[in-house]
Amino acid sequence: DMREEEVETAIKVVIVGNGAVGKSSMIQRYCKGIFTKDYKKTIGVDFLERQIEVNCEDVRLMLWDTAGQEEFDAITRAYYRGAQACVIAFSIVDRDSFEAIQDWKRKVEDEVGQIPTVFVQNKMDLADETLVAQKEVDDLVANSRLKLFKTSVKNNVCVDDVFKYLAEKYLEQL
Ligand code: GDP
């Protein structure tokens, strides 16, 4: 048998950000295609996966949900271990969540170093009620040189793009 053995690429992606910005919802949306208002977060180590094709290559994305709250710091350590890509999420109707994204970026870098990372500005369907000016976001993003995705997990806007981009970035650096 002369066929080369297919070695599939698997990427561990961690999704971080303050509580209630939509991290669990994003994982459910992307991996299961569902959005529920009252998705109950399981405490502990948990991930969902989805396989996509990037540049004719099969890539398996494993999306890990972090507990988010500092009280679970000991648990979240385990989430970061071996992370190969990262989503830093905030919600436009939660100012604190926006102000925390630099801290999240530092935290991830402290744990795993530099890995492909993006910012996600979620709940864009609530733009009428936004508590974050777009200019603030754009200024911060320009300084960090990371890409920003404006998503509505609820309406399934731009969610696929986030993970496709991360997979591409990951493959580029191999
Ligand atoms: P997590 O704590 O960051 O994992 O946040 P969750 O995924 O538990 O979401 C918190 C709440 O925000 C839930 O009620 C979700 O249904 C809601 N939510 C998540 N994404 C969106 C979105 O894009 N738009 C709106 N309107 N609500 C969202």
Side-chain angles (χ1 to χ4, degrees), residues 9 30 48 90 105 117-118 120 126 152 169:
T9 306
Y30 187 69
L48 288 177
F90 68 97
K105 185 167 176 284
T117 300
V118 297
V120 162
L126 301 176
S152 167
K169 277 277 159 198

Side-chain angles (χ1 to χ4, degrees), residues 20-22 90-93 121-127 151-153:
V21 300
F90 68 97
S91 156
I92 60 168
V93 291
Q121 177 175 350
N122 190 37
K123 307 200 186 183
M124 289 301 290
D125 56 286
L126 301 176
T151 63
S152 167
V153 169

Side-chain angles (χ1 to χ4, degrees), residues 21-38:
V21 300
K23 300 181 298 294
S24 299
S25 300
M26 178 170 290
I27 294 168
Q28 298 283 316
R29 162 65 80 198
Y30 187 69
C31 296
K32 291 187 182 165
I34 58 169
F35 178 80
T36 51
K37 219 166 149 243
D38 305 308

Side-chain angles (χ1 to χ4, degrees), residues 104-144:
W104 282 112
K105 185 167 176 284
R106 265 189 295 273
K107 190 175 162 74
V108 171
E109 279 170 11
D110 286 350
E111 297 286 344
V112 291
Q114 299 268 355
I115 54 175
T117 300
V118 297
F119 288 128
V120 162
Q121 177 175 350
N122 190 37
K123 307 200 186 183
M124 289 301 290
D125 56 286
L126 301 176
D128 291 348
E129 305 160 37
T130 189
L131 297 170
V132 186
Q134 193 58 51
K135 175 140 184 11
E136 297 178 89
V137 180
D138 293 345
D139 287 349
L140 189 148
V141 168
N143 286 327
S144 74

